[in-house]
């Protein structure tokens, strides 16, 4: 086995641009779901200013076990996508939370099994990873997205010097990677 030199300098050279930063991102919405955010003072379709976190979901490629002469052979199966998880700061008028609650209510009313037949519920959500100069590194397009869970807000007399936040889980059909500094992955 050949001697391999491991040094701090070798490690640093592996990060010529000092690495991608998880705090440099933008979340935006396009399509019919925008109607729910018209009364949100900090909302602009190109950027959710109060989005605290976004978690890029994993994709799973299932496998199909096939028996062959006493052995299990694995063949590629169907791809599934986890939900997109977004966390938001809650302002005092709770406008972002109210917008997501109204969107979820229009999908299915709280008091019965019926939705609002006039609602337009499907949107496209974009999560863009940014470089240190504000340039786009990678842009994820989540197609036909809608909220499936508007998370809880923990209240406590003991919490001081904090701002409320809540998480929204968005279901979607699939995502594409587009408009990037790296190789994009689209089906177009």
């Amino acid at each position: 086995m050949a001697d391999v030199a491991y040094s701090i300098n070798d490690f640093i050279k592996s990060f010529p641009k000092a690495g991608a930063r998880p705090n440099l991102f933008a979340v935006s919405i396009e399509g019919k779901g925008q109607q729910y955010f018209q009364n949100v003072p900090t909302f602009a379709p190109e950027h959710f200013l109060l989005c605290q976190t976004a978690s890029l979901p994993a994709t799973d490629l299932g496998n199909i076990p096939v028996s062959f002469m006493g052995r299990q052979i694995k063949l590629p199966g169907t791809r599934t996508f986890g939900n997109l998880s977004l966390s938001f700061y809650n302002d005092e008028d709770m406008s972002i939370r109210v917008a997501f609650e109204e969107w979820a209510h229009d999908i299915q009313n709280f008091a019965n099994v019926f939705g609002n037949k006039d609602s337009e519920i499907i949107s496209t959500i974009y999560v863009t990873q940014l470089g240190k100069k504000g340039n786009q590194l990678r842009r994820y397009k989540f197609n036909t997205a809608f909220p499936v869970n508007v998370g809880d807000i923990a209240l406590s007399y003991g919490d001081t010097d904090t701002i409320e936040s809540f998480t929204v889980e968005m279901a979607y059909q699939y995502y594409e990677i587009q408009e990037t500094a790296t190789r994009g992955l689209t089906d177009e």
Side-chain angles (χ1 to χ4, degrees):
M1 182 174 188
D3 289 335
V4 179
Y6 294 103
S7 73
I8 291 173
N9 289 336
D10 291 335
F11 181 75
I12 291 171
K13 287 177 189 174
S14 298
F15 289 107
K17 295 181 182 177
R21 307 296 167 93
N23 62 335
L24 298 176
F25 71 98
V27 175
S28 59
I29 186 171
E30 180 179 275
K32 300 169 183 171
Q34 286 182 1
Q35 68 186 346
Y36 298 98
F37 299 93
Q38 291 174 355
N39 296 324
V40 176
T42 59
F43 175 74
E46 65 278 359
H47 190 76
F48 271 110
L49 290 177
L50 295 181
C51 186
Q52 179 186 22
T53 65
S55 181
L56 296 172
T59 66
D60 293 312
L61 186 58
N63 66 69
I64 303 167
V66 177
S67 296
F68 174 73
M69 301 181 108
R71 298 194 69 177
Q72 290 288 319
I73 308 298
K74 295 178 183 177
L75 300 176
T78 302
R79 181 177 302 280
T80 58
F81 296 89
N83 288 340
L84 171 62
S85 182
L86 305 170
S87 294
F88 295 90
Y89 290 114
N90 202 20
D91 55 353
E92 281 201 357
D93 63 4
M94 301 187 184
S95 57
I96 294 175
R97 184 170 180 87
V98 167
F100 278 111
E101 288 174 338
E102 288 175 351
W103 193 356
H105 184 264
D106 279 354
I107 293 169
Q108 185 175 32
N109 294 338
F110 295 138
N112 58 47
V113 297
F114 303 107
N116 180 347
K117 66 180 186 312
D118 299 325
S119 70
E120 301 286 345
I121 62 168
I122 303 299
S123 284
T124 301
I125 305 289
Y126 294 93
V127 177
T128 306
Q129 291 180 280
L130 302 172
K132 288 177 277 311
K133 295 180 181 178
N135 55 313
Q136 289 186 12
L137 298 179
R138 215 155 164 81
R139 186 177 192 207
Y140 294 80
K141 177 183 179 185
F142 296 89
N143 294 288
T144 60
F146 57 94
V148 293
N149 182 296
V150 180
D152 66 322
I153 296 176
L155 304 175
S156 170
Y157 287 129
D159 282 343
T160 59
D161 298 327
T162 60
I163 297 174
E164 290 180 359
S165 63
F166 64 95
T167 300
V168 176
E169 296 288 328
M170 303 289 290
Y172 59 95
Q173 301 309 312
Y174 62 97
Y175 70 74
E176 300 173 57
I177 302 169
Q178 56 181 202
E179 298 178 21
T180 67
T182 60
R183 185 173 62 91
L185 299 173
T186 64
D187 290 330
E188 297 170 356

